[in-house]
Amino acid sequence: MYTLKSIAQRGTLMGAAAALVLAAVVPSTAVFADALNPLTNRSLTLSSSSPGWSYKDGSGNATYAQPNSGANGRQTGNTFAFNVSSGASIKAMTFQYCTHPAGDCMGPGNIADHANANDATAFAAKQSDLEVVTATPAAVSTFGTKFNATTGVPSSSANVPKADNSEGNYIVMHKTLVGDPWTASTGWTMASSVNQTSGGSAGTVVGGTSTGKANYITLSNSGGQTLAAGDFVKVIFFGTDTNYITNPGASAFFVKINDYSDTAATTVVDGGVTVANIMNQSIEIQTKVLETMDFSVGTVDPYTLDSSNGSVSTPSQLENALVTTPVGDNNATKHGQCDPIAKGMLADPAQPNVLQLGDTTGENSLSTAATYSTHSYWRLSSNSSAGATVYYSGVTLKNTVGDEIRAIGTSSVAPSRGTPQFGLALTNGTRAANGLVGGAGNLYTLNYNKEDNLGGNAGKGAFENGADAAVSGLHASVAADVTAQGLSGYHDPQLYPLIPEVNYDQGAGVVNGGPGQYGSVNTKYAFDPDSNLIPTPLASESNQVVDCVTGKVRYIANIAATTPAGIYTTKINYIAAPQY
């Protein structure tokens, strides 16, 4: 039985034996010799731990698996961090990728006999060898503008060096204390080579004991970087289109790290250490987002209706329009994030989506003395990534025996009293005034103004008579309801990102000019007589999803003294066509 004393007496011999054993496994070149001055607090972070043969996104293509991304194991980046033990001017650093942490170094990988390249054949067989590819290595030049000096990484994903390698693919940084900012170390050049110490000469595949692929990175700097003992060092290799590290196809691998006092990388300062990592196939999650669309057409925009002070006995305007029987006794119905257009001022109107066009004091009849108008609304939301188009389809106003009020035509024309006309246009603003790009004030916002009879034709009723004649503009309770419910995404009714077609963008403004009216006629309308069989585009967009867009369509009619008498009607259909 050994005592503590006897163990202590044997300590010298045991230490000598240990020294002999260690000396036996250290390579004669002393590349990893100085284990007494190890690099400490070392780590390796991969941009992707996917095997090299796994380099596509969840849909099986490379669209969202760009170089240096988590999905791409073929074109990865590696980040090394460590503290030096010695104070010295460091002129070289090496990173050797091996299958084991000590002894001979064989390049990691699982290609059978390592005879094949990292190509489509190997990838299809779920095989890849580690390979450092450096077609055009270049130091990153954007540290001062695109990196966060506190963390030592790009300040956002947008600031990661570009995949085309125009901003470089590697960087060396250092600092002295934990709270110090990282500083870029300049003057380094990068090279890759085959350094596998078994299986024959460099680059040669011998009996499957060497991959023949570059597994060794050398950074050299003729000017050197002076470091004090304990200084922090971070080295980042970014994956780009032409400079990257392909991960091995399976299992763990180890990277041996050394720094040197000479550019030839022969005199080790600190080293004799490794970092490890392991390959794991990514978890793929699959689901579906089915095509969705909400499209409502009607005569009343609920956002113009009051939702407050409602009760069962005296429901609010909004309750009247949206619910048949109000529930509760105090504002039971609230404005929502994207309320559908209502079919009338009542939830169950006797004639849903029916508009009366003409003199309200003369049984909604037309006159040669005035241009009369009315309006309707539509609202569209869709998750179609390529936008949507809204069309109209219909015929002009006709009576029961086939007489008709002439359609204005496909080119926009100003209303003209005494001339038979039927046309329509959006009141969301002109392309010329808004431009074709959305932004503050350029959203084709909905115009709720109506043209009243201000005089000159007294007794003729309102020139513009809509189903919502009793309301005007957005109601204040909309903002209050949306805020109270904590809803997000609400915006005032607008057409953007849909853009009105050029012949249908001038519906807002004056249709009756002259003494006592608004002023000069500044509106134009069109109507395609072929739209009943070939729908006519009214507004469209082709680049993004359509989020609760709203169109207000204004209709005008004029007659001549010779227009045959009768009851004239038409039916206009609106068609939403999302583009997925």
Side-chain angles (χ1 to χ4, degrees), residues 397-414:
L397 289 162
K398 294 185 177 183
N399 66 14
T400 54
V401 295
D403 298 319
E404 65 179 41
I405 297 175
R406 187 184 309 121
I408 286 183
T410 56
S411 297
S412 59
V413 174

Side-chain angles (χ1 to χ4, degrees), residues 136-458:
T136 53
V140 170
S141 58
T142 58
F143 177 83
T145 57
K146 294 191 174 184
F147 278 67
N148 184 319
T150 301
T151 60
V153 297
S155 53
S156 70
S157 59
N159 290 330
V160 173
K162 295 178 180 178
D164 63 5
N165 215 65
S166 61
E167 296 176 336
N169 71 294
Y170 67 89
I171 187 170
V172 179
M173 294 170 280
H174 68 96
K175 66 179 182 178
T176 299
L177 301 175
V178 172
D180 289 347
W182 287 99
T183 301
S185 177
T186 59
W188 295 90
T189 59
M190 176 184 178
S192 64
S193 60
V194 180
N195 189 347
Q196 301 183 33
T197 54
S198 65
S201 60
T204 303
V205 178
V206 179
T209 59
S210 173
T211 68
K213 299 177 180 69
N215 69 315
Y216 193 70
I217 299 174
T218 301
L219 291 175
S220 57
N221 187 338
S222 59
Q225 176 62 59
T226 300
L227 299 172
D231 276 6
F232 295 77
V233 176
K234 181 181 287 190
V235 179
I236 306 178
F237 299 105
F238 294 96
T240 66
D241 291 332
T242 54
N243 299 272
Y244 53 85
I245 300 167
T246 297
N247 283 338
S251 305
F253 67 90
F254 303 84
V255 185
K256 300 177 181 180
I257 311 172
N258 290 280
D259 60 18
Y260 306 83
S261 59
D262 62 319
T263 57
T266 57
T267 305
V268 176
V269 176
D270 292 331
V273 295
T274 61
V275 290
N277 226 301
I278 193 166
M279 296 297 94
N280 290 287
Q281 187 171 355
S282 303
I283 298 295
E284 295 186 12
I285 300 173
Q286 296 183 351
T287 186
K288 288 184 178 180
V289 176
L290 299 178
E291 293 80 2
T292 64
M293 184 175 70
D294 292 326
F295 186 51
S296 56
V297 178
T299 60
V300 177
D301 184 351
Y303 290 148
T304 65
L305 305 181
D306 181 11
S307 70
S308 61
N309 301 318
S311 67
V312 173
S313 59
T314 57
S316 69
Q317 289 177 324
L318 183 62
E319 289 173 322
N320 267 331
L322 298 183
V323 293
T324 304
T325 304
V327 179
D329 58 3
N330 185 20
N331 198 15
T333 301
K334 299 280 190 180
H335 291 100
Q337 179 173 306
C338 187
D339 289 342
I341 300 299
K343 294 179 174 61
M345 290 295 287
L346 297 175
D348 293 314
Q351 293 182 304
N353 279 2
V354 173
L355 295 170
Q356 303 295 334
L357 177 62
D359 180 1
T360 57
T361 65
E363 298 183 356
N364 301 306
S365 57
L366 297 177
S367 167
T368 58
T371 299
Y372 286 97
S373 66
T374 187
H375 55 263
S376 66
Y377 306 85
W378 48 259
R379 182 162 288 154
L380 171 65
S381 293
S382 173
N383 67 351
S384 52
S385 57
T389 300
V390 176
Y391 301 82
Y392 74 87
S393 173
V395 297
T396 189
L397 289 162
K398 294 185 177 183
N399 66 14
T400 54
V401 295
D403 298 319
E404 65 179 41
I405 297 175
R406 187 184 309 121
I408 286 183
T410 56
S411 297
S412 59
V413 174
S416 177
R417 290 191 294 262
T419 301
Q421 293 175 317
F422 174 73
L424 59 83
L426 290 164
T427 69
N428 295 76
T430 66
R431 293 157 62 103
N434 286 273
L436 296 181
V437 179
N442 298 313
L443 300 174
Y444 298 94
T445 54
L446 195 152
N447 189 326
Y448 289 102
N449 292 334
K450 306 180 186 73
E451 186 171 357
D452 297 324
N453 181 359
L454 299 183
N457 285 293

Side-chain angles (χ1 to χ4, degrees), residues 499-534:
I499 307 297
E501 296 297 324
V502 67
N503 288 310
Y504 298 94
D505 67 345
Q506 299 184 62
V510 179
V511 298
N512 285 280
Q517 304 307 319
Y518 287 116
S520 300
V521 174
N522 59 1
T523 56
K524 290 185 177 182
Y525 299 84
F527 191 86
D528 186 352
D530 291 330
S531 65
N532 200 38
L533 297 178
I534 306 173

Side-chain angles (χ1 to χ4, degrees), residues 486-508:
L487 300 176
S488 61
Y490 167 79
H491 55 70
D492 288 348
Q494 65 187 46
L495 189 64
Y496 187 82
L498 294 187
I499 307 297
E501 296 297 324
V502 67
N503 288 310
Y504 298 94
D505 67 345
Q506 299 184 62

